[in-house]
Amino acid sequence: MTSLDDLPIRDDLRGLTPYGAPQLEVPVRLNVNENAYRVPEAVALDIVQEIARALPDANRYPDREFDALRRAFADYLGHGLEPAQIWAGNGSNEVLQHVLQAFGGPGRSLLSFTPTYSMYPLLAQGVGMRWIAEPRPADFTLTPDAVRAAIQAHDPDVVFLCSPNNPTGTAIGLETIEAAAESARGIVLVDEAYAEFAHDRSRTALALLDRFPRLLVSRTMSKAFAFAGIRVGYLAAHPSVVDALRLVRLPYHLSAITQAAALAALRHSDEMLARVDALREQRDRLVDELSAQGYSPYPSDANFVLVGGVADPQAAFRALLDRGILVRDVGLPGTLRITAGTPAETSAVLAAMAALDAE
Ligand SMILES: *Cc1c(COP(=O)(O)O)cnc(C)c1O
């Protein structure tokens, strides 16, 4: 029997485990920060019609430049962005991979501030880059001085700043992003996967793009647009950055179906953002009610809350699962990460958390 260990796999991949949060069929799934709401019926119908229009031409390769979709993303983001400044991929993870393929690679380094998104070291590994993890302070916030000092100490080729940060929910101030862009020699990417959930949606690094040609801002439709299953992420940057990303993408990487689906969904951004508002309310409710229960939730600008003060996270995870509720143990001592759900789902997890002490 051949096992993975017997294969002539790259030396640097030996012993690694793939990314994988559990995918369990339980009633309340609050573990991977998905949008709790299904795609609305009217939006789904519009998407199906757009796909139906595209389908007869599926004998041809899709528009390699996805021009219509880039125009739609530029309009959605605002800030005077032009389609030439937009890039997209099959999820923002693919966009991040394109960035590292173009600007990273063997002999180069990626710096980020941990705890942060667990895919960053894996993406760096995949392109043979060195991963540099600079620890955050106890409250997970980042200051201009701390970021500038880390960049000066490590001289990285690429810096990833996740804001709001997964798994802590911490937003990064624009003055800190400016400090990074001013002090870094290479690329600075702000991962704004959760930007729409921020308390102040206008506080985005998109506002800084004009001043910093090596600053990149990535977004995703997975969270705010309830589109995790379709796989659409995108990025805004200087047009020459987009030219660099064209060098590493696979030919026709965005299928005609993906382009049609995203285009149709973007027409419904007002409706989708109204649901984001509902989720923001449940996020704030999680923070308020878990505090009242005696836990220590961290402030969050995302659609999830990192909850501190959990005596035994592994036992709590199992106790919640016994009640049909899936949350995430991200491996930070004394914490669990809980995604904001519908009002009913949030009530369920709050009741289960309240019962933990008693059990
Ligand atoms: C969920 C998430 C993404 C989005 O990934 P997709 O590939 O677009 O689904 C990106 N960055 C962070 C930090 C995330 O948590």
Side-chain angles (χ1 to χ4, degrees):
M1 274 285 284
T2 300
S3 77
L4 183 53
D5 291 335
D6 303 323
L7 293 173
I9 191 173
R10 272 164 41 187
D11 290 333
D12 64 326
L13 296 182
R14 266 187 208 289
L16 294 187
T17 43
Y19 170 89
Q23 291 192 302
L24 301 178
E25 289 289 329
V26 298
V28 181
R29 280 179 271 176
L30 305 174
N31 69 325
V32 286
N33 304 338
E34 291 154 337
N35 192 307
Y37 292 102
R38 306 173 73 209
V39 177
E41 186 88 21
V43 179
L45 275 176
D46 197 17
I47 291 169
V48 168
Q49 280 167 11
E50 192 74 36
I51 291 174
R53 270 194 289 276
L55 212 67
D57 293 322
N59 61 315
R60 304 292 177 192
Y61 283 109
D63 175 8
R64 184 170 46 213
E65 288 296 322
F66 45 99
D67 281 324
L69 184 56
R70 284 161 64 210
R71 160 61 62 195
F73 279 134
D75 290 346
Y76 169 71
L77 290 177
H79 292 270
L81 287 166
E82 293 292 332
Q85 295 178 266
I86 304 294
W87 187 246
N90 297 283
S92 59
N93 273 279
E94 185 179 72
V95 171
L96 301 183
Q97 186 176 53
H98 287 163
V99 169
L100 296 186
Q101 286 175 321
F103 298 104
R108 296 195 171 194
S109 59
L110 169 65
L111 168 73
S112 195
F113 296 82
T114 54
T116 191
Y117 188 36
S118 61
M119 275 306 298
Y120 297 160
L122 295 179
L123 288 165
Q125 179 85 48
V127 300
M129 291 180 88
R130 189 161 55 91
W131 161 246
I132 305 169
E134 180 74 21
R136 290 170 181 251
D139 68 356
F140 305 128
T141 59
L142 288 180
T143 62
D145 284 348
V147 166
R148 207 181 288 113
I151 288 172
Q152 279 162 3
H154 299 293
D155 191 34
D157 297 282
V158 182
V159 180
F160 278 1
L161 297 172
C162 191
S163 180
N165 184 47
N166 184 3
T168 64
T170 324
I172 302 176
L174 288 190
E175 64 290 348
T176 299
I177 290 160
E178 273 182 278
E182 279 163 4
S183 55
R185 160 179 63 77
I187 294 292
V188 175
L189 178 138
V190 186
D191 181 345
E192 292 193 348
Y194 300 97
E196 286 92 343
F197 296 93
H199 287 99
D200 179 4
R201 246 180 224 154
S202 68
R203 198 176 58 168
T204 155
L206 294 170
L208 303 176
L209 286 179
D210 275 350
R211 288 170 46 210
F212 299 105
R214 286 176 286 103
L215 180 67
L216 287 52
V217 180
S218 66
R219 296 277 186 106
T220 181
M221 294 185 77
S222 293
K223 314 287 163 53
F225 278 85
F227 236 40
I230 309 296
R231 313 304 300 131
V232 189
Y234 54 106
L235 168 149
H238 192 273
S240 57
V241 169
V242 173
D243 287 338
L245 301 178
R246 280 194 185 88
L247 299 174
V248 296
R249 62 109 186 273
L250 293 173
Y252 316 107
H253 70 291
L254 268 193
S255 84
I257 290 177
T258 302
Q259 293 184 40
L263 203 54
L266 281 167
R267 288 199 288 263
H268 300 270
S269 57
D270 288 348
E271 187 176 350
M272 299 316 291
L273 288 178
R275 291 175 180 226
V276 166
D277 287 342
L279 291 167
R280 294 200 292 191
E281 279 179 31
Q282 297 307 306
R283 180 263 325 271
D284 292 339
R285 182 182 161 214
L286 276 177
V287 171
D288 292 346
E289 296 193 22
L290 288 169
S291 302
Q293 288 180 16
Y295 293 101
S296 309
Y298 290 86
S300 174
D301 275 281
N303 69 338
F304 57 84
V305 176
L306 184 71
V307 186
V310 180
D312 183 346
Q314 287 177 14
F317 175 89
R318 283 192 303 271
L320 294 175
L321 195 54
D322 285 345
R323 290 170 166 247
I325 302 168
L326 188 58
V327 299
R328 189 77 171 265
D329 177 1
V330 294
L332 293 175
T335 72
L336 285 175
R337 193 192 67 191
I338 305 177
T339 307
T342 62
E345 289 171 330
T346 305
S347 296
V349 75
L350 283 169
M353 290 294 283
L356 276 185
D357 272 342
E359 274 162 19

